[in-house]
Amino acid sequence: MKVGAGPRILAFDTSGPLCAAVLWSGGGVIAEEREAMTRGQAERLFPMLEAVLEAGGADWADLDAVGVGIGPGNFTGLRIAVAAARGLALSLGRPAIGVSAFEVIRELGGATGAETTWAVYPGPRDGYYAQLVTGDGPRGDAQLLTPAQLAGIAEERTAAPRFLGPAPDAGAPSGWVDVPVHGADWVPALARCAVGHLAAGHFVAPTPLYVRPPDAAPPKEAPPVILE
């Protein structure tokens, strides 16, 4: 397909076990590629981006912006995608728009207006990253919660809140709407979010959304003294 009218955005994500990209133009996706992988995204990303542009009949200079998934997710994957987006923005003179996983989940789940919703994304050790959102955007910082804490949120509210995200294997709080992550519609939804940010003019340079510190940390002990 050829590039259509409207903003042209190249959107991509490597925050999960995948490398995926879409070219958005004329109100929809005109080219896309997606490959499941747990490693090797750094080597695969730019060949995939070039293939998507070629399939869409576009060149780098045709882009109005790039959109990138900022997580939470895999630490290395996040660094790869965000660094690529910032480098492209600098070289092309186009904005790079970061889109969180919570925004994508909200988009896929159909959250609208002032409705209060918890967007939920799988975290480490059977936990969940969660952020309170409305159709207009986030309403608080992202948190790392246990299933018990999520259940507690549901119980403490007079009106049961709505949860959007991949449903737990068991014990999902009431009001949970299953929204799978990193499926075929994930990066197209990311692109729609980026289009919305571009139209509103509300975006900043993308930064990885880690939520929690990395598992590996520098030692707290003082380094050894080297004698002359």
Side-chain angles (χ1 to χ4, degrees):
M1 297 179 66
K2 298 299 183 182
V3 174
R8 293 177 292 274
I9 292 182
L10 184 64
F12 51 92
D13 191 16
T14 62
S15 63
L18 81 164
C19 186
V22 304
L23 178 62
W24 179 282
S25 182
V29 172
I30 63 170
E32 60 184 311
E33 282 202 23
R34 180 179 184 276
E35 187 173 337
M37 57 174 59
T38 56
R39 62 181 62 186
Q41 289 97 330
E43 295 80 11
R44 185 72 185 93
L45 179 59
F46 271 91
M48 179 177 288
L49 297 181
E50 291 173 343
V52 167
L53 285 174
E54 182 178 0
D59 199 350
W60 294 106
D62 296 321
L63 299 177
D64 295 301
V66 296
V68 61
I70 60 170
N74 177 273
F75 280 78
T76 301
L78 288 177
R79 290 195 296 270
I80 290 168
V82 169
R86 293 177 75 115
L88 286 171
L90 183 63
S91 62
L92 298 174
R94 303 288 192 272
I97 303 172
V99 179
S100 75
F102 306 113
E103 293 181 78
V104 180
I105 290 170
R106 183 191 70 202
E107 175 74 16
L108 291 173
T112 59
E115 177 188 25
T116 299
T117 300
W118 283 93
V120 180
Y121 181 86
R125 304 179 187 88
D126 298 323
Y128 287 92
Y129 295 115
Q131 186 175 43
L132 190 63
V133 300
T134 69
D136 300 321
R139 289 296 179 267
D141 294 332
Q143 307 172 56
L144 178 58
L145 303 175
T146 66
Q149 288 173 315
L150 280 176
I153 290 173
E155 292 173 359
E156 71 186 16
R157 300 296 180 90
T158 303
R162 188 171 181 233
F163 295 87
L164 297 177
D169 294 334
S174 61
W176 194 294
V177 177
D178 185 33
V179 178
V181 299
H182 298 306
D185 53 356
W186 183 260
V187 181
L190 189 158
R192 289 197 300 272
C193 292
V195 169
H197 285 302
L198 183 65
H202 297 158
F203 52 85
V204 294
T207 302
L209 178 59
Y210 290 132
V211 181
R212 65 185 182 92
D215 292 328
K220 296 181 179 179
E221 296 81 6
V225 177
I226 301 176
L227 301 177
E228 296 181 0

